[in-house]
Amino acid sequence: MSINWIKITERAREGIKIINALPYDTFTTVLWYTHRQMSPSAAAASSTTCTVGTSVTTTGRTDSTSEENPTSSSEPEYTLEELERLVGAPRADFLLLIKTFSYILRRISTFIIKPSLLQRELREKLQLEDEAKIDAILRLWVRETTPIMNNLASKRYESNVIEDVAWKLNVQISSHCQQREKTPLAVLQMKTAVGEDINLEMTHPELLELFNQFENIQGELDAMLAMKAPDATAAGHQ
């Protein structure tokens, strides 16, 4: 079963071909570089960023540098220019490579998928050819989603209802790797009953997708309520 979690355009397909051609060590270096650039801590450390995507942050979360990259103790940090020299591809191919990595990581961070299904999607839908590369993306995804799922399963979230919702608009300026584009971002700010702040940053397409998902949920709830209404009426007449 295939799910509609990512759209593979011709440009994305070209980027995936470049990913498939990378040696594994270079692949993991670019993967973790892109991930770090997309993380909230990297965004806070720099006024510009190479990627724009959905991020979820909570004020109670603690970030550990020892967990940032399992290979960071033996792998040097690269600047964008150093990474370009390491990849050894033409500038246009290198920029497409970074954008494709960003797109894949942003999409997998938006959906909760069974690991086995995500593994199959990376292999069959994205057509990644190296099982080791698929496993590297899968390990990164599991590492990022496990704390979220553990928090959702925590008892303190059983009564952790949303008490307040606000929103604002930001304009994010990209670095030279995306040609100084200005991207408007919607920021949805929610406060829970236990005083926790949850912030969601979304581009216009992502906000529209979230709205459509809410409409689908509303439709399902309306259908369920409509089915229960005749039962309740019948029970009242007995």
Side-chain angles (χ1 to χ4, degrees), residues 195-214:
E196 187 173 24
D197 294 324
I198 302 175
N199 297 324
L200 298 175
E201 285 190 356
M202 292 167 285
T203 62
H204 182 268
E206 290 166 345
L207 181 61
L208 181 60
E209 181 178 332
L210 180 63
F211 175 78
N212 290 334
Q213 289 182 11
F214 280 142

Side-chain angles (χ1 to χ4, degrees), residues 22-34:
L22 290 177
Y24 177 75
D25 289 344
T26 305
F27 165 86
T28 55
T29 299
V30 179
L31 175 68
W32 281 100
Y33 173 88
T34 309

Side-chain angles (χ1 to χ4, degrees), residues 19-20 22-29 31-32 71 101 118-120 122-123 127-141:
I19 291 175
N20 282 329
L22 290 177
Y24 177 75
D25 289 344
T26 305
F27 165 86
T28 55
T29 299
L31 175 68
W32 281 100
T71 62
F101 266 112
L118 177 58
Q119 185 179 45
R120 186 164 67 248
L122 292 172
R123 183 187 303 117
Q127 297 182 9
L128 293 177
E129 299 171 354
D130 191 335
E131 290 296 323
K133 293 178 182 177
I134 293 174
D135 289 342
I137 295 175
L138 192 63
R139 287 195 302 271
L140 174 60
W141 178 82

Side-chain angles (χ1 to χ4, degrees), residues 26-237:
T26 305
F27 165 86
T28 55
T29 299
V30 179
L31 175 68
W32 281 100
Y33 173 88
T34 309
H35 167 67
R36 285 193 296 268
Q37 293 302 310
M38 296 176 68
S39 67
S41 57
S46 175
S47 59
T48 61
T49 180
C50 293
T51 58
V52 176
T54 302
S55 62
V56 180
T57 59
T58 58
T59 55
R61 181 176 175 180
T62 57
D63 294 324
S64 173
T65 55
S66 63
E67 295 178 356
E68 186 66 29
N69 181 349
T71 62
S72 60
S73 59
S74 58
E75 181 177 302
E77 295 285 342
Y78 289 90
T79 66
L80 189 66
E81 291 75 15
E82 290 170 340
L83 193 65
E84 182 178 1
R85 288 195 294 271
L86 175 68
V87 172
R91 169 59 65 92
D93 288 350
F94 175 70
L95 296 181
L96 179 58
L97 173 68
I98 295 295
K99 290 180 180 180
T100 305
F101 266 112
S102 301
Y103 179 52
I104 293 173
L105 293 180
R106 178 166 54 84
R107 296 310 298 167
I108 65 175
S109 70
T110 306
F111 288 81
I112 300 297
I113 313 172
K114 289 183 178 180
S116 59
L117 178 57
L118 177 58
Q119 185 179 45
R120 186 164 67 248
E121 288 280 299
L122 292 172
R123 183 187 303 117
E124 298 176 2
K125 192 168 187 176
L126 273 66
Q127 297 182 9
L128 293 177
E129 299 171 354
D130 191 335
E131 290 296 323
K133 293 178 182 177
I134 293 174
D135 289 342
I137 295 175
L138 192 63
R139 287 195 302 271
L140 174 60
W141 178 82
V142 170
R143 172 188 173 275
E144 291 301 300
T145 56
T146 295
I148 298 174
M149 299 306 295
N150 288 341
N151 284 338
L152 292 176
S154 175
K155 289 183 178 180
R156 73 188 184 93
Y157 277 88
E158 293 178 0
S159 59
N160 195 9
V161 298
I162 300 296
E163 283 199 339
D164 188 32
V165 178
W167 63 272
K168 65 180 181 179
L169 294 178
N170 284 343
V171 175
Q172 189 167 10
I173 303 176
S174 67
S175 72
H176 62 279
C177 72
Q178 287 192 349
Q179 301 178 352
R180 296 282 179 185
E181 297 173 348
K182 293 183 178 180
T183 303
L185 295 177
V187 182
L188 185 63
Q189 302 170 312
M190 296 174 285
K191 184 177 288 292
T192 67
V194 296
E196 187 173 24
D197 294 324
I198 302 175
N199 297 324
L200 298 175
E201 285 190 356
M202 292 167 285
T203 62
H204 182 268
E206 290 166 345
L207 181 61
L208 181 60
E209 181 178 332
L210 180 63
F211 175 78
N212 290 334
Q213 289 182 11
F214 280 142
E215 281 209 325
N216 291 335
I217 294 171
Q218 181 65 52
E220 292 290 337
L221 290 174
D222 290 343
M224 291 179 63
L225 291 174
M227 292 175 62
K228 290 182 178 181
D231 295 337
T233 302
H237 287 298

